Amino acid sequence: MQRLLSLSLVFTLISFVSFSQDLRKRLGRTYANPDSVDIIFELEKENLQTPNDSGVYYFFVGERYNRNYENALAHETFLKSASLLDPTLSNDLISLCYIRLNRLEANSGNWDQALMYSQKGLENATFGLDSNYIGYALLDISVVYHDMEDYAKGVEYGKKAYDLLTHFSKANPTFVAYSLNAIGINFDDWNKPDSALFYHYKIFENIEKLDSTRITFTFNNIGNTLLKQEKYKEAESWILTAVNLNRKDQDFYSLAANYTNLGTIAYKLRDFSNAEVLLDSAYKYVELSQSMEKMRDYLEEQYLFHKARGELAVAMDYLEQYSALKDSIFKEERVKMLGELEAKYQVQTKERELAESRAALIEHELLVKNRNNQILLLVVSLLIILGVAFFFYYRQKTKNRHLEQEAKLHKIYAEQETQKQLHEQRYRISSDLHDNIGAQLTFIVSSLDNLKFFKLSKEKMALKIDQISSFTIETVNELRDTIWAMNKDSVSLGDLQARLAGLIVKAKEACPQIEFDLELQDGLQNDLLLNSMEGVNYYRVAQEAVNNAIKHSGADHIKIVFSRQNGHIRICIEDNGRGMDQAGIGNGLINMKNRAERIGRDLKIQSSLGQGTQVCIF
């Protein structure tokens, strides 16, 4: 009978623990569903079974009051939650209650009460052997000392928190960032900006493990330190980033700090009108956050702003408000209580060190106990890994063999394709030689033969011979152009440009009254490549267009322009001559069109009488 009763008690305890865990998950929905908060609270309140369940329930109610800045109700509800929660079941929630109470008291300027709640949080976390929340309690103490302007102690406790968390293998990355922030803000207001920036920037070393919305304060704090170093523009950039992030979360406390700093930057830069607007915004968020600390900072900056502006009467009024607020914070009895709490902390530290030693011993025993099982598991895992590795090795080896064979086939195919392209190119060049050079040589031979059958005067004979000579020179030049192209696997834009530059030099010698230009559009690279057939036909079209402009246009300015269109090189030959009627296009222009079509390009001719001519191949 006694055994049955014991079993019944065990099962009842397990069911209560399970219900409390589920209750936390269900109440956690209030963060993501603010419109359904009242319904969720109403439904869950009816199902509370234990005092711990009630503590969990009141914690989430307190969170709602806290988010809505109903500070008095939040304070009362967190105290109620902490008194109901069971330290063995919900130790972390108790720590969170004391963290929230610390912030509420600190915002009201009650530093002694804020420090007391941090001490209670430290006691609770030490009882639960929770290193994360021990570290959080220490960093909260650091922030309280910062707000009390005892920066040496602030740095001391911030470093204790950081050292504890960095030596804990399961440390919460966000808590580590908070501890670095606590050290940084103490160094900042201690007038040690280099140390402050060192700790603030150190937060970003672990950025991949952090939620950026949880560390928005870092941007403002870096900006605040840069502001004190008079690096105003750099500071403004950091603080504006913080503003954008804090607006999304409606973080009034942080926005109060952001706008106070922006107002300070503005009046330091003598932009008083903008400073006034920014400080007004700061006051709005100070009021919404209900923070005495931010009100103190705001009043100090208003005093300095009006002093810089030369409004001494207004400045003195703000100075009196600032001094009165500061005096209310630093009362003698509060300073005495802080000393007592400091002594109490030293005792608790010794107790915590003993508790940590006991916990380390227990952890060591568990490690020894589990070592054999781990070794066995490791051996089995190694055998499995070796088997899988052999399988993948054999599979990869087979795959590599297939890839090698495939690569050989691709190489053979590529060689065949290259030979095919060379053959086609040779065929095109031989056709060009046959169609153009061959026809021209035939015409020369025919013209020379005809001279035997005509009795011409010396003048006409000389004229005829000159014509044949000119035609022969033209044929030789075309043959040289073809040989120039055949000697290259490809023709670069630089080669083509140099060839046309040579053409222009000769044209200038023959026609000094005409101005010639060669332009290359920005961004064109000289190493762009054409195949030899494209190169020679681009050149011949440009050559023909230049010759036509010299002979027929009456222009005094001829320009060759290189550019790029639809991935192809575009060459335009422009003149300012008399223009022409396109209805009367002759053989020269027809030949240019044929050359463009031969290499798959377009030829465009734009001309009108009295407006010059533009010939483009692209």
Side-chain angles (χ1 to χ4, degrees):
M1 182 67 181
Q2 189 174 1
R3 181 178 295 176
L4 287 173
L5 182 60
S6 298
L7 287 172
S8 175
L9 288 171
V10 170
F11 284 126
T12 302
L13 179 62
I14 291 172
S15 67
F16 282 154
V17 172
S18 176
F19 178 80
S20 294
Q21 291 173 343
D22 291 341
L23 178 65
R24 287 181 66 166
K25 291 180 182 178
R26 294 196 300 274
L27 288 171
R29 292 179 298 165
T30 56
Y31 292 119
N33 301 282
D35 296 335
S36 306
V37 169
D38 292 331
I39 297 172
I40 294 171
F41 282 144
E42 186 178 346
L43 291 173
E44 295 300 339
K45 191 172 183 179
E46 296 175 358
N47 298 319
L48 303 178
Q49 299 177 8
T50 66
N52 186 68
D53 293 342
S54 298
V56 173
Y57 172 81
Y58 283 113
F59 172 80
F60 285 97
V61 174
E63 287 284 82
R64 180 196 184 188
Y65 288 139
N66 196 35
R67 289 195 300 273
N68 293 335
Y69 292 91
E70 299 177 63
N71 293 351
L73 288 171
H75 190 283
E76 177 186 342
T77 309
F78 284 130
L79 276 177
K80 187 173 185 178
S81 172
S83 67
L84 291 169
L85 288 166
D86 185 339
T88 61
L89 299 176
S90 303
N91 188 271
D92 60 329
L93 282 187
I94 297 174
S95 291
L96 283 170
C97 283
Y98 289 127
I99 289 168
R100 301 292 189 266
L101 288 163
N102 165 279
R103 282 292 89 203
L104 288 167
E105 294 291 0
N107 283 347
S108 300
N110 299 324
W111 313 118
D112 49 351
Q113 293 297 310
L115 192 57
M116 180 195 71
Y117 285 124
S118 292
Q119 296 284 5
K120 285 183 176 290
L122 186 61
E123 291 172 15
N124 174 73
T126 302
F127 171 80
L129 298 177
D130 190 334
S131 294
N132 272 314
Y133 282 107
I134 292 171
Y136 205 119
L138 291 171
L139 70 90
D140 262 352
I141 293 170
S142 170
V143 174
V144 171
Y145 277 119
H146 164 265
D147 296 342
M148 288 290 294
E149 301 181 5
D150 189 347
Y151 305 123
K153 279 196 175 294
V155 169
E156 177 188 343
Y157 280 93
K159 287 186 175 181
K160 285 179 179 179
Y162 180 69
D163 290 342
L164 173 68
L165 290 168
T166 51
H167 286 89
F168 178 44
S169 60
K170 297 180 181 178
N172 186 322
T174 304
F175 291 3
V176 176
Y178 289 168
S179 68
L180 288 168
N181 177 67
I183 300 168
I185 61 175
N186 275 286
F187 272 126
D188 175 63
D189 287 323
W190 202 2
N191 199 25
K192 297 184 178 183
D194 292 337
S195 297
L197 289 173
F198 172 81
Y199 284 100
H200 286 318
Y201 287 137
K202 200 170 181 64
I203 291 172
F204 294 114
E205 292 177 5
N206 208 24
I207 191 67
E208 70 279 356
K209 296 181 181 179
L210 294 170
D211 178 356
S212 60
T213 61
R214 303 288 299 279
I215 58 166
T216 56
F217 53 80
T218 305
F219 298 96
N220 178 75
N221 292 338
I222 291 173
N224 186 47
T225 303
L226 293 170
L227 187 162
K228 292 174 182 176
Q229 293 181 315
E230 299 183 0
K231 298 176 181 178
Y232 299 127
K233 290 301 180 183
E234 192 177 350
E236 184 180 40
S237 175
W238 283 94
I239 296 168
L240 287 174
T241 301
V243 169
N244 292 331
L245 293 169
N246 291 324
R247 276 178 178 166
K248 293 177 183 176
D249 295 335
Q250 286 295 291
D251 186 347
F252 300 146
Y253 176 88
S254 298
L255 286 167
N258 299 157
Y259 280 104
T260 300
N261 283 333
L262 288 172
T264 303
I265 291 170
Y267 81 71
K268 291 284 186 182
L269 294 172
R270 314 300 290 176
D271 186 357
F272 294 117
S273 58
N274 189 33
E276 187 170 14
V277 172
L278 291 167
L279 287 172
D280 286 344
S281 297
Y283 181 73
K284 167 189 168 184
Y285 290 114
V286 168
E287 289 283 284
L288 289 170
S289 69
Q290 303 176 36
S291 169
M292 294 291 286
E293 176 205 354
K294 296 306 169 192
M295 178 60 78
R296 179 190 64 186
D297 294 344
Y298 165 76
L299 291 172
E300 183 180 13
E301 291 306 325
Q302 279 283 20
Y303 156 66
L304 295 171
F305 162 62
H306 287 287
K307 181 182 176 184
R309 202 175 189 179
E311 299 172 344
L312 298 182
V314 181
M316 289 305 298
D317 180 55
Y318 276 110
L319 180 60
E320 289 175 6
Q321 294 181 57
Y322 167 72
S323 299
L325 179 63
K326 192 172 181 181
D327 289 344
S328 70
I329 293 172
F330 292 99
K331 289 180 180 177
E332 185 178 345
E333 60 269 21
R334 287 189 175 181
V335 175
K336 182 180 178 182
M337 185 174 181
L338 287 171
E340 292 172 355
L341 289 170
E342 169 68 15
K344 186 178 179 182
Y345 164 73
Q346 298 299 337
V347 174
Q348 289 175 348
T349 300
K350 297 296 182 184
E351 293 175 350
R352 177 169 57 82
E353 288 173 354
L354 289 172
E356 287 175 350
S357 298
R358 289 196 295 271
L361 182 62
I362 292 169
E363 187 177 355
H364 178 70
E365 290 174 354
L366 287 172
L367 286 172
V368 172
K369 187 176 179 180
N370 292 329
R371 188 167 296 162
N372 290 336
N373 289 336
Q374 290 174 351
I375 291 171
L376 179 62
L377 181 62
L378 181 62
V379 170
V380 173
S381 299
L382 284 172
L383 289 173
I384 293 172
I385 290 169
L386 286 172
V388 172
F390 178 77
F391 168 75
F392 280 108
Y393 168 75
Y394 180 77
R395 184 178 177 184
Q396 188 63 36
K397 190 174 180 181
T398 305
K399 184 178 179 181
N400 288 342
R401 190 164 58 248
H402 288 311
L403 288 173
E404 287 174 3
Q405 293 173 351
E406 188 176 343
K408 289 178 182 177
L409 290 173
H410 278 301
K411 185 177 179 181
I412 293 169
Y413 174 77
E415 289 175 353
Q416 291 176 344
E417 189 66 23
T418 301
Q419 292 297 324
K420 180 181 176 183
Q421 290 174 358
L422 287 172
H423 178 74
E424 290 175 351
Q425 188 165 324
R426 289 188 184 119
Y427 176 75
R428 286 196 299 270
I429 291 172
S430 65
S431 295
D432 188 60
L433 286 171
H434 179 270
D435 294 343
N436 295 298
I437 307 300
Q440 289 170 345
L441 290 173
T442 301
F443 174 77
I444 291 167
V445 171
S446 176
S447 297
L448 289 171
D449 286 341
N450 287 336
L451 290 178
K452 295 186 292 183
F453 301 105
F454 295 101
K455 293 181 179 180
L456 301 173
S457 66
K458 287 184 179 181
E459 291 81 6
K460 288 184 178 180
M461 179 66 74
L463 179 63
K464 196 71 173 175
I465 290 171
D466 285 342
Q467 289 175 348
I468 294 171
S469 176
S470 297
F471 196 73
T472 303
I473 290 169
E474 184 180 343
T475 302
V476 169
N477 287 335
E478 287 199 17
L479 183 59
R480 283 175 180 165
D481 295 337
T482 303
I483 292 169
W484 166 71
M486 288 179 67
N487 284 335
K488 295 176 176 287
D489 292 332
S490 59
V491 177
S492 70
L493 181 59
D495 293 334
L496 185 57
Q497 185 184 356
R499 193 77 177 173
L500 287 173
L503 175 66
I504 285 177
V505 169
K506 292 178 181 178
K508 283 181 177 179
E509 291 174 356
C511 306
Q513 76 280 7
I514 301 176
E515 181 183 351
F516 294 90
D517 285 322
L518 182 65
E519 292 183 6
L520 191 67
Q521 188 184 61
D522 290 344
L524 274 181
Q525 302 295 323
N526 280 334
D527 56 358
L528 285 174
L529 296 179
L530 303 165
N531 65 46
S532 57
M533 196 67 183
E534 289 172 334
V536 74
N537 280 286
Y538 265 110
Y539 174 76
R540 285 180 178 166
V541 168
Q543 183 186 43
E544 182 73 23
V546 170
N547 288 337
N548 285 345
I550 292 170
K551 292 177 182 177
H552 307 299
S553 71
D556 59 11
H557 186 200
I558 299 173
K559 180 167 62 174
I560 302 176
V561 181
F562 285 78
S563 60
R564 193 162 188 163
Q565 180 174 334
N566 299 328
H568 293 148
I569 293 172
R570 174 189 176 102
I571 300 179
C572 291
I573 298 86
E574 304 170 3
D575 67 64
N576 64 348
R578 64 176 65 92
M580 63 180 179
D581 183 357
Q582 294 196 44
I585 291 177
N587 290 333
L589 296 179
I590 292 171
N591 287 338
M592 286 193 283
K593 285 194 173 184
N594 290 338
R595 288 189 181 280
E597 289 173 2
R598 188 177 300 167
I599 57 173
R601 299 289 185 269
D602 291 328
L603 188 84
K604 185 176 181 181
I605 302 170
Q606 287 185 323
S607 182
S608 56
L609 294 176
Q611 299 296 319
T613 303
Q614 183 188 61
V615 178
C616 295
I617 178 171
F618 54 91

